[in-house]
Amino acid sequence: MSVRHAMSMLLPVLALACSTAQGATPEPPESPPPQHDDAAAPAGSTSAKSFVDAASYFTSSEEIDAWYGLLRELNDDFDVVCGDTFCEGDFSNYEPLRFRCSVEEHAGTIGRCVWVLAASNEEIVPSTGDVEVDARIFLCEMPIAPDTAVTDLVEALSAAAGRAIDAELPGTDRSLYDGLVECL
């Protein structure tokens, strides 16, 4: 997914949030049309794959708690590393929006993981009082090895001795931090 596509999907949500905050009656955002894979296997075939969000893949309360705990930890980790790295560049204000992974629902393997972040830099124009804003959305693909079990990913990141963001990803010598460095 391109950054432009991600932004086009995010803008209606942001507009809805802004209009709601200002007391306007919100209009539901337009949903993108469902995407169909014309090359999918015929009905009844065992080779057809179906992906779900990792958050809905887990079923036990322990797995669900571990997933959401990991998401909170990743956001905290980002806040810690941001000040010494990314937040000293063109943008001084980064905010992690969502870490999301698709999981093949029958095999439990990850299809793709992305971390979506927003960044901005604001400047006050002394002569007018205007606030000039340069804002961007970053869609960062995470370096997850093909066929990584989502449970292995959660275990590796949760068991990290330091920050989860720095933990070696299963089947690689890379971390989520490495994926952010390439993206930001």
Side-chain angles (χ1 to χ4, degrees), residues 81-107:
V81 301
C82 188
D84 295 334
T85 56
F86 313 115
C87 296
E88 292 182 352
D90 293 337
F91 300 99
S92 59
N93 180 27
Y94 278 89
E95 188 67 34
L97 298 177
R98 187 136 190 219
F99 180 85
R100 194 162 191 188
C101 296
S102 64
V103 178
E104 203 288 313
E105 65 182 334
H106 298 294

Short mmCIF file of all heavy atoms in Angstrom, two decimals, residues 81-107:
data_model
loop_
_atom_site.label_atom_id
_atom_site.label_comp_id
_atom_site.label_asym_id
_atom_site.label_seq_id
_atom_site.Cartn_x
_atom_site.Cartn_y
_atom_site.Cartn_z
N VAL A 81 12.68 5.78 22.00
CA VAL A 81 13.73 5.90 20.97
C VAL A 81 13.55 7.13 20.09
O VAL A 81 14.51 7.60 19.49
CB VAL A 81 13.84 4.64 20.08
CG1 VAL A 81 14.15 3.41 20.90
CG2 VAL A 81 12.62 4.43 19.22
N CYS A 82 12.35 7.66 20.03
CA CYS A 82 12.07 8.76 19.11
C CYS A 82 12.94 9.98 19.40
O CYS A 82 13.50 10.57 18.48
CB CYS A 82 10.61 9.15 19.19
SG CYS A 82 10.11 10.35 17.95
N GLY A 83 13.06 10.36 20.65
CA GLY A 83 13.79 11.57 20.99
C GLY A 83 15.24 11.56 20.58
O GLY A 83 15.82 12.60 20.27
N ASP A 84 15.86 10.39 20.56
CA ASP A 84 17.27 10.28 20.20
C ASP A 84 17.49 9.97 18.72
O ASP A 84 18.63 9.94 18.28
CB ASP A 84 17.93 9.17 21.03
CG ASP A 84 17.96 9.51 22.51
OD1 ASP A 84 17.96 10.70 22.84
OD2 ASP A 84 17.98 8.57 23.33
N THR A 85 16.43 9.73 17.99
CA THR A 85 16.61 9.30 16.59
C THR A 85 15.71 10.08 15.64
O THR A 85 16.07 11.13 15.17
CB THR A 85 16.32 7.79 16.46
OG1 THR A 85 15.00 7.55 16.97
CG2 THR A 85 17.32 6.94 17.22
N PHE A 86 14.54 9.55 15.40
CA PHE A 86 13.65 10.07 14.37
C PHE A 86 13.20 11.50 14.65
O PHE A 86 13.03 12.29 13.74
CB PHE A 86 12.40 9.18 14.25
CG PHE A 86 12.71 7.72 14.19
CD1 PHE A 86 12.31 6.86 15.20
CD2 PHE A 86 13.45 7.20 13.14
CE1 PHE A 86 12.61 5.51 15.15
CE2 PHE A 86 13.75 5.86 13.08
CZ PHE A 86 13.33 5.02 14.09
N CYS A 87 12.98 11.83 15.91
CA CYS A 87 12.40 13.13 16.26
C CYS A 87 13.41 14.28 16.21
O CYS A 87 13.08 15.40 16.59
CB CYS A 87 11.76 13.05 17.64
SG CYS A 87 10.38 11.89 17.66
N GLU A 88 14.60 14.01 15.76
CA GLU A 88 15.59 15.07 15.58
C GLU A 88 15.76 15.45 14.12
O GLU A 88 16.62 16.22 13.78
CB GLU A 88 16.95 14.63 16.17
CG GLU A 88 16.92 14.50 17.68
CD GLU A 88 18.27 14.11 18.24
OE1 GLU A 88 19.19 13.79 17.47
OE2 GLU A 88 18.40 14.12 19.47
N GLY A 89 14.93 14.90 13.25
CA GLY A 89 15.06 15.17 11.82
C GLY A 89 14.12 16.27 11.36
O GLY A 89 13.91 17.26 12.05
N ASP A 90 13.52 16.06 10.19
CA ASP A 90 12.63 17.05 9.60
C ASP A 90 11.37 17.27 10.43
O ASP A 90 10.77 18.33 10.37
CB ASP A 90 12.23 16.62 8.19
CG ASP A 90 13.40 16.64 7.23
OD1 ASP A 90 14.37 17.36 7.50
OD2 ASP A 90 13.33 15.93 6.22
N PHE A 91 10.96 16.26 11.18
CA PHE A 91 9.74 16.35 11.97
C PHE A 91 10.08 16.17 13.44
O PHE A 91 10.82 15.27 13.82
CB PHE A 91 8.72 15.28 11.54
CG PHE A 91 8.33 15.41 10.10
CD1 PHE A 91 8.92 14.61 9.13
CD2 PHE A 91 7.39 16.34 9.71
CE1 PHE A 91 8.57 14.74 7.80
CE2 PHE A 91 7.04 16.47 8.37
CZ PHE A 91 7.63 15.68 7.42
N SER A 92 9.50 17.04 14.26
CA SER A 92 9.78 16.95 15.69
C SER A 92 8.66 16.26 16.45
O SER A 92 8.79 15.97 17.63
CB SER A 92 9.98 18.37 16.26
OG SER A 92 8.81 19.14 16.03
N ASN A 93 7.57 15.98 15.80
CA ASN A 93 6.40 15.43 16.47
C ASN A 93 5.94 14.17 15.74
O ASN A 93 5.27 14.25 14.72
CB ASN A 93 5.28 16.49 16.48
CG ASN A 93 4.04 16.01 17.15
OD1 ASN A 93 4.08 15.15 18.02
ND2 ASN A 93 2.91 16.55 16.74
N TYR A 94 6.33 13.01 16.25
CA TYR A 94 5.89 11.73 15.68
C TYR A 94 4.89 11.10 16.62
O TYR A 94 5.03 11.18 17.85
CB TYR A 94 7.07 10.76 15.54
CG TYR A 94 7.90 10.96 14.31
CD1 TYR A 94 8.98 11.83 14.32
CD2 TYR A 94 7.62 10.27 13.15
CE1 TYR A 94 9.75 12.01 13.19
CE2 TYR A 94 8.39 10.44 12.01
CZ TYR A 94 9.46 11.31 12.05
OH TYR A 94 10.23 11.48 10.93
N GLU A 95 3.92 10.44 16.05
CA GLU A 95 2.93 9.73 16.85
C GLU A 95 2.63 8.39 16.18
O GLU A 95 2.20 8.35 15.02
CB GLU A 95 1.65 10.56 16.94
CG GLU A 95 0.63 10.01 17.90
CD GLU A 95 1.08 10.07 19.35
OE1 GLU A 95 1.78 11.02 19.74
OE2 GLU A 95 0.71 9.15 20.10
N PRO A 96 2.88 7.29 16.88
CA PRO A 96 2.50 5.99 16.30
C PRO A 96 0.97 5.87 16.28
O PRO A 96 0.32 6.12 17.30
CB PRO A 96 3.13 4.97 17.25
CG PRO A 96 3.49 5.70 18.49
CD PRO A 96 3.52 7.15 18.18
N LEU A 97 0.43 5.57 15.12
CA LEU A 97 -1.02 5.45 15.00
C LEU A 97 -1.48 4.01 15.21
O LEU A 97 -2.42 3.76 15.95
CB LEU A 97 -1.49 5.95 13.63
CG LEU A 97 -1.20 7.42 13.33
CD1 LEU A 97 -1.66 7.76 11.91
CD2 LEU A 97 -1.86 8.32 14.35
N ARG A 98 -0.81 3.07 14.52
CA ARG A 98 -1.25 1.68 14.64
C ARG A 98 -0.18 0.73 14.13
O ARG A 98 0.44 0.96 13.10
CB ARG A 98 -2.51 1.47 13.83
CG ARG A 98 -3.14 0.11 14.02
CD ARG A 98 -4.61 0.25 14.18
NE ARG A 98 -5.20 -1.00 14.60
CZ ARG A 98 -6.35 -1.45 14.16
NH1 ARG A 98 -7.03 -0.76 13.30
NH2 ARG A 98 -6.83 -2.58 14.60
N PHE A 99 0.03 -0.35 14.88
CA PHE A 99 0.84 -1.47 14.44
C PHE A 99 -0.16 -2.56 14.12
O PHE A 99 -0.98 -2.94 14.96
CB PHE A 99 1.78 -1.91 15.57
CG PHE A 99 2.66 -3.07 15.18
CD1 PHE A 99 3.85 -2.85 14.51
CD2 PHE A 99 2.30 -4.38 15.49
CE1 PHE A 99 4.67 -3.91 14.14
CE2 PHE A 99 3.11 -5.44 15.12
CZ PHE A 99 4.29 -5.20 14.45
N ARG A 100 -0.12 -3.04 12.88
CA ARG A 100 -1.14 -3.99 12.45
C ARG A 100 -0.52 -5.09 11.62
O ARG A 100 0.32 -4.82 10.76
CB ARG A 100 -2.20 -3.27 11.63
CG ARG A 100 -3.44 -4.06 11.43
CD ARG A 100 -4.57 -3.17 11.02
NE ARG A 100 -5.82 -3.93 11.08
CZ ARG A 100 -6.96 -3.48 10.64
NH1 ARG A 100 -7.03 -2.28 10.11
NH2 ARG A 100 -8.04 -4.22 10.71
N CYS A 101 -0.95 -6.32 11.89
CA CYS A 101 -0.47 -7.49 11.14
C CYS A 101 -1.65 -8.28 10.60
O CYS A 101 -2.66 -8.45 11.28
CB CYS A 101 0.34 -8.42 12.05
SG CYS A 101 1.86 -7.70 12.69
N SER A 102 -1.48 -8.78 9.38
CA SER A 102 -2.46 -9.73 8.84
C SER A 102 -1.96 -11.13 9.15
O SER A 102 -0.75 -11.39 9.14
CB SER A 102 -2.62 -9.54 7.32
OG SER A 102 -1.42 -9.83 6.65
N VAL A 103 -2.89 -12.01 9.46
CA VAL A 103 -2.55 -13.39 9.83
C VAL A 103 -3.41 -14.33 9.00
O VAL A 103 -4.64 -14.15 8.92
CB VAL A 103 -2.81 -13.64 11.34
CG1 VAL A 103 -2.50 -15.08 11.71
CG2 VAL A 103 -1.98 -12.69 12.19
N GLU A 104 -2.78 -15.31 8.38
CA GLU A 104 -3.51 -16.34 7.65
C GLU A 104 -4.26 -17.15 8.71
O GLU A 104 -3.65 -17.76 9.57
CB GLU A 104 -2.57 -17.20 6.82
CG GLU A 104 -3.23 -17.91 5.64
CD GLU A 104 -4.15 -19.05 6.05
OE1 GLU A 104 -3.72 -19.86 6.88
OE2 GLU A 104 -5.29 -19.12 5.56
N GLU A 105 -5.60 -17.09 8.66
CA GLU A 105 -6.38 -17.59 9.78
C GLU A 105 -6.28 -19.09 10.02
O GLU A 105 -6.48 -19.53 11.15
CB GLU A 105 -7.84 -17.15 9.66
CG GLU A 105 -8.59 -17.71 8.49
CD GLU A 105 -10.01 -17.18 8.45
OE1 GLU A 105 -10.57 -16.82 9.49
OE2 GLU A 105 -10.57 -17.15 7.35
N HIS A 106 -5.96 -19.88 9.03
CA HIS A 106 -5.86 -21.32 9.24
C HIS A 106 -4.46 -21.75 9.65
O HIS A 106 -4.30 -22.62 10.50
CB HIS A 106 -6.32 -22.08 7.99
CG HIS A 106 -7.75 -21.80 7.65
ND1 HIS A 106 -8.80 -22.19 8.46
CD2 HIS A 106 -8.30 -21.13 6.62
CE1 HIS A 106 -9.93 -21.77 7.94
NE2 HIS A 106 -9.66 -21.13 6.81
N ALA A 107 -3.44 -21.13 9.08
CA ALA A 107 -2.06 -21.50 9.38
C ALA A 107 -1.49 -20.71 10.56
O ALA A 107 -0.52 -21.14 11.19
CB ALA A 107 -1.18 -21.30 8.15
#
